[in-house]
C-alpha cells in the first residue's frame, strides 16, 4: 500500500470518528430535549462542546438544528432575578481634580459616577451590553466634598420588554467622623442590546425582577408609574408635530458651521450695581461652546459614548454659561433636568455642546444645554439631546448670593427659550420638595432611617 492509499485510509478513519462523535452528541442533545426543564448550565456545556467539536466552518447538521431548538426554548423562558441581587456599590474618594475651588465635587462628576454604577447593574441583570437611553431629573440635595468618600449604590428596579430602570442613591461619608448623609438620587433607563433580535441572533429576553421586601415592592410599582410618564411625554411629542417643530427651532446650534457673526460675544466686565438695581443683559452674552472628540476612554465596549460622560460635559458647559452672569458669587449645580438621548455618538465622532442662560432668578439661573454630534466621514450634524440645568450662586459659607443681572431676550428664538423658565422653576421646586419628603421615608444604604436634609443648594 503506497503513501497515497495510507493517507486516504487515515482520512476515512478520521471522518468516521468525527461522524460517530457527532452522532453521540446528537443522542445526548436528544436526551436533554426529553427533560422538561433542562438546567441552563447543562445547555451551555452542550453548546460549548458542540462548538469545540465542529468549529465554525463545519456544515450544519441535525445537531445544529437541535441546538437551535434548545436555544429557542431557553429564550422563551424568562428567568426571575431577585431585586436585591442586582445591586452594585461603588466607593469613590472625592479628589481635588473632581472638585471646584471650594472643594465641592462637580455635579457632572457625580452624574458620571451614577451612570457607570447604574450601567454595571443593568449589564449584570441583562447579562449583556446596555446603553443609557434617558436619565430622569437629578436634584443635588447636599454636596460631596474633597477628602470624603462618595458611595454610589445602584439597583435594577424593574425590567420591561427591552429596557430596564435602574435606581441610584448617592451618599457621602466623612472620613474623619464617619458621618453619612444623602447627596442625591437618580433614575436611569437602559436598553439591552441583546433583548432585540439581530441578523444571526435571536432576542435574549430580560429577566423578570422580583421584589422581596415591602420597600422593594414599592420601588417596583413606582418604576412602572415613571415608565408610563416617560412614554406619555414621548407620545405627546409624536402626536403634536407643531410642538416638536417648536422645540426643534429653539435648540441651540453649534458655532462650527455658522457663516456670519463673531465667534464670541463681548465679555461682561461690569461692577456690582447699586443696591436695588441690576444690569440688563441679552442671552447671547452667556453662550458657551464645548467641542469634544470622542475617544475610546469616553465610550463603552460597543464604542458608544457613556451617557455619564456626556452629562459631565453638559454640566461643565452650563457652569461656564452661568458664570457669565454669576459675578460675585460661587456657583454650584443645583439640579439637572431629565434628558433623553435621541441618537448616540461613537468613538471618532465629534460632539458639540452649547449652553445659554434662559432664566435668571434671585440667586439662581436656568441654563439650556443642547448636544449635537457629527461623524468625521459625513459632514452632517445630528441632534443628540438637550436639558436644563439649575446653577445657584452662593458665598463661601453656603449662603445664597443675589445675581446682579436681569435677562432681556431679543430674538424670537431667545424669547421662545426663556418663555417657560418660570414655570419650569416652579415644577423643579415642587419636585425637590416632594423628593425630600420621599427620601425622609426611605432607609439609607445601611438600612437606618435618617431625616432629610433641608439644605437647598
Amino acid at each position: 500500500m503506497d503513501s497515497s492509499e495510507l493517507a486516504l485510509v487515515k482520512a476515512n478513519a478520521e471522518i468516521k470518528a468525527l461522524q460517530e462523535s457527532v452522532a453521540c452528541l446528537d443522542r445526548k442533545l436528544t436526551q436533554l430535549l426529553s427533560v422538561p426543564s433542562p438546567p441552563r448550565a447543562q445547555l451551555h456545556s452542550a453548546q460549548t462542546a458542540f462548538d469545540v467539536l465542529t468549529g465554525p466552518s463545519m456544515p450544519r447538521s441535525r445537531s445544529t438544528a437541535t441546538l437551535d431548538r434548545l436555544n429557542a426554548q431557553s429564550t422563551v423562558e424568562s428567568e426571575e432575578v431577585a431585586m436585591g441581587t442586582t445591586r452594585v456599590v461603588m466607593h469613590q474618594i472625592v479628589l481635588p481634580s473632581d472638585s471646584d475651588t471650594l472643594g465641592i465635587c462637580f455635579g457632572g462628576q457625580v452624574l458620571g459616577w451614577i451612570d457607570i454604577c447604574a450601567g454595571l447593574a443593568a449589564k449584570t441583570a441583562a447579562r449583556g451590553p446596555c446603553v443609557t437611553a434617558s436619565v430622569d431629573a437629578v436634584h443635588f440635595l447636599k454636596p460631596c466634598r474633597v477628602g470624603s468618600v462618595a458611595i454610589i449604590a445602584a439597583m435594577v428596579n424593574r425590567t420591561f420588554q427591552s429596557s430596564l430602570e435602574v435606581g441610584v442613591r448617592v451618599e457621602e461619608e466623612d472620613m474623619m467622623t464617619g458621618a453619612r448623609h444623602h447627596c442625591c438620587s437618580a433614575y436611569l433607563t437602559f436598553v439591552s442590546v441583546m433583548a432585540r433580535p439581530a441578523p444571526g441572533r435571536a432576542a435574549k429576553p430580560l429577566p423578570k425582577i422580583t421584589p422581596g421586601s415591602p420597600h422593594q415592592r414599592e420601588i417596583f410599582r413606582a418604576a412602572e408609574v415613571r415608565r408610563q410618564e416617560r412614554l406619555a411625554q414621548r407620545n405627546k411629542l409624536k402626536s403634536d408635530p407643531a410642538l416638536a417643530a417648536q422645540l426643534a427651532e429653539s435648540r441651540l446650534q453649534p458655532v462650527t458651521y455658522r457663516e456670519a457673526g463673531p465667534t464670541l460675544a463681548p465679555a461682561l466686565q461690569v461692577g456690582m450695581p447699586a443696591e436695588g438695581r441690576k444690569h440688563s443683559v441679552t442671552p447671547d452674552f452667556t453662550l458657551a461652546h464645548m467641542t469634544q472628540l470622542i475617544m475610546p476612554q469616553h465610550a463603552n465596549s460597543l464604542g458608544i459614548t457613556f451617557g455619564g460622560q456626556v452629562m459631565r460635559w453638559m454640566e461643565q458647559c452650563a457652569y461656564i454659561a452661568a458664570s457669565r452672569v454669576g459675578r460675585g458669587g460661587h456657583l454650584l449645580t443645583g439640579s439637572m433636568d431629565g434628558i433623553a438621548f435621541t441618537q448616540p455618538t461613537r468613538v471618532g465622532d465629534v460632539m458639540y455642546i452649547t449652553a445659554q442662560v434662559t432664566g435668571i432668578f434671585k440667586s439662581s439661573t436656568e441654563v439650556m444645554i443642547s448636544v449635537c454630534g457629527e461623524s468625521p466621514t459625513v459632514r452632517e450634524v445630528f441632534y443628540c439631546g438637550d436639558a436644563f440645568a439649575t446653577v445657584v450662586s452662593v458665598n463661601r459659607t453656603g449662603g445664597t448670593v443675589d445675581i446682579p443681572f436681569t435677562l432681556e431676550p431679543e430674538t424670537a428664538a431667545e424669547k421662545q427659550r426663556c418663555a417657560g423658565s418660570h414655570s419650569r422653576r416652579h415644577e423643579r421646586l415642587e419636585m425637590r420638595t416632594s423628593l425630600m419628603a420621599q427620601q425622609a421615608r426611605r432607609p439609607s444604604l445601611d438600612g437606618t432611617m435618617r431625616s432629610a436634609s433641608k439644605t437647598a443648594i
Side-chain angles (χ1 to χ4, degrees):
M1 184 178 295
D2 57 17
S3 58
S4 60
E5 293 177 342
L6 286 174
L8 181 60
V9 171
K10 185 177 179 180
N12 288 332
E14 291 178 352
I15 292 174
K16 183 177 181 181
L18 183 60
Q19 290 174 343
E20 291 177 353
S21 298
V22 172
C24 180
L25 185 59
D26 264 337
R27 290 192 295 272
K28 290 182 179 180
L29 291 177
T30 303
Q31 292 174 0
L32 287 175
L33 279 177
S34 64
V35 179
S37 299
R40 288 182 176 272
Q42 194 173 358
L43 292 179
H44 292 327
S45 62
Q47 183 177 2
T48 302
F50 181 78
D51 291 339
V52 172
L53 179 63
T54 61
S57 60
M58 290 293 293
R60 293 178 63 85
S61 65
R62 290 189 301 113
S63 300
T64 309
T66 303
L67 190 59
D68 289 343
R69 291 197 300 272
L70 276 175
N71 286 336
Q73 179 179 348
S74 64
T75 55
V76 171
E77 301 172 358
S78 180
E79 64 177 325
E80 293 186 354
V81 175
M83 182 183 291
T85 63
T86 66
R87 287 176 294 184
V88 173
V89 180
M90 289 170 41
H91 289 70
Q92 297 284 347
I93 297 178
V94 182
L95 301 174
S97 58
D98 304 322
S99 310
D100 59 21
T101 55
L102 287 186
I104 297 175
C105 188
F106 285 111
Q109 179 63 68
V110 177
L111 292 172
W113 289 335
I114 287 174
D115 180 69
I116 292 293
C117 193
L120 290 173
K123 184 177 181 179
T124 300
R127 296 300 178 189
C130 298
V131 293
T132 310
S134 66
V135 183
D136 291 1
V138 179
H139 290 262
F140 299 99
L141 304 179
K142 289 198 71 175
C144 295
R145 299 183 181 275
V146 169
S148 66
V149 177
I151 306 172
I152 307 100
M155 182 173 68
V156 177
N157 294 339
R158 190 161 182 160
T159 58
F160 308 101
Q161 183 173 357
S162 61
S163 65
L164 58 165
E165 182 193 89
V166 182
V168 183
R169 181 183 175 96
V170 181
E171 294 185 2
E172 182 205 41
E173 179 178 330
D174 191 316
M175 297 179 70
M176 301 296 293
T177 65
R180 292 178 184 167
H181 65 257
H182 175 224
C183 298
C184 64
S185 295
Y187 297 105
L188 299 87
T189 301
F190 288 84
V191 173
S192 172
V193 176
M194 304 296 291
R196 297 179 177 179
R201 174 179 59 79
K204 180 181 180 182
L206 291 171
K208 180 181 178 181
I209 300 298
T210 56
S213 64
H215 175 57
Q216 289 183 354
R217 286 192 287 272
E218 178 187 351
I219 293 174
F220 186 81
R221 288 191 296 267
E224 176 62 27
V225 174
R226 285 187 292 269
R227 178 174 183 262
Q228 294 303 323
E229 292 175 349
R230 297 183 198 107
L231 292 176
Q233 180 65 24
R234 187 173 65 181
N235 293 334
K236 179 181 178 181
L237 293 177
K238 287 184 178 181
S239 61
D240 192 345
L243 177 60
Q246 182 181 3
L247 293 176
E249 291 175 0
S250 66
R251 290 171 189 150
L252 299 169
Q253 301 299 323
V255 72
T256 304
Y257 293 120
R258 293 182 186 173
E259 297 182 1
T263 302
L264 293 176
L268 291 174
Q269 296 179 335
V270 296
M272 296 299 292
E275 186 176 354
R277 301 190 62 182
K278 293 187 176 184
H279 300 293
S280 178
V281 62
T282 57
D284 63 315
F285 277 84
T286 67
L287 267 174
H289 302 277
M290 185 177 290
T291 304
Q292 297 287 348
L293 176 64
I294 308 301
M295 304 292 287
Q297 62 266 26
H298 303 144
N300 59 19
S301 57
L302 301 176
I304 299 174
T305 314
F306 286 118
Q309 180 62 70
V310 179
M311 291 187 290
R312 184 178 180 183
W313 287 333
M314 292 174 69
E315 194 258 357
Q316 290 179 2
C317 199
Y319 193 97
I320 296 171
S323 71
R324 303 278 167 74
V325 294
R327 311 299 192 195
H330 182 85
L331 299 180
L332 295 177
T333 302
S335 67
M336 177 75 78
D337 288 2
I339 176 174
F341 297 102
T342 60
Q343 193 167 343
T345 53
R346 302 177 182 275
V347 172
D349 288 351
V350 177
M351 179 173 289
Y352 302 107
I353 305 159
T354 310
Q356 185 183 71
V357 174
T358 53
I360 298 178
F361 312 104
K362 182 176 175 58
S363 58
S364 65
T365 61
E366 178 194 77
V367 183
M368 180 180 182
I369 316 109
S370 294
V371 182
C372 296
E374 182 183 20
S375 172
T377 58
V378 181
R379 188 173 176 175
E380 181 179 353
V381 177
F382 55 87
Y383 168 71
C384 300
D386 49 35
F388 290 94
T390 299
V391 183
V392 185
S393 179
V394 300
N395 55 30
R396 301 191 69 85
T397 60
T400 58
V401 176
D402 289 354
I403 295 179
F405 289 93
T406 60
L407 204 61
E408 297 291 341
E410 292 182 342
T411 66
E414 291 176 348
K415 292 178 180 179
Q416 185 174 336
R417 297 185 195 109
C418 301
S421 60
H422 287 276
S423 61
R424 289 190 293 265
R425 178 174 182 266
H426 180 70
E427 292 175 359
R428 292 187 200 103
L429 293 177
E430 286 188 340
M431 184 182 298
R432 191 182 189 89
T433 301
S434 175
L435 175 63
M436 294 174 68
Q438 291 176 10
Q439 295 303 321
R441 300 190 301 267
R442 292 183 177 177
S444 301
L445 295 179
D446 57 10
T448 60
M449 300 296 295
R450 300 194 186 105
S451 59
S453 169
K454 296 187 183 301
T455 304
I457 295 179

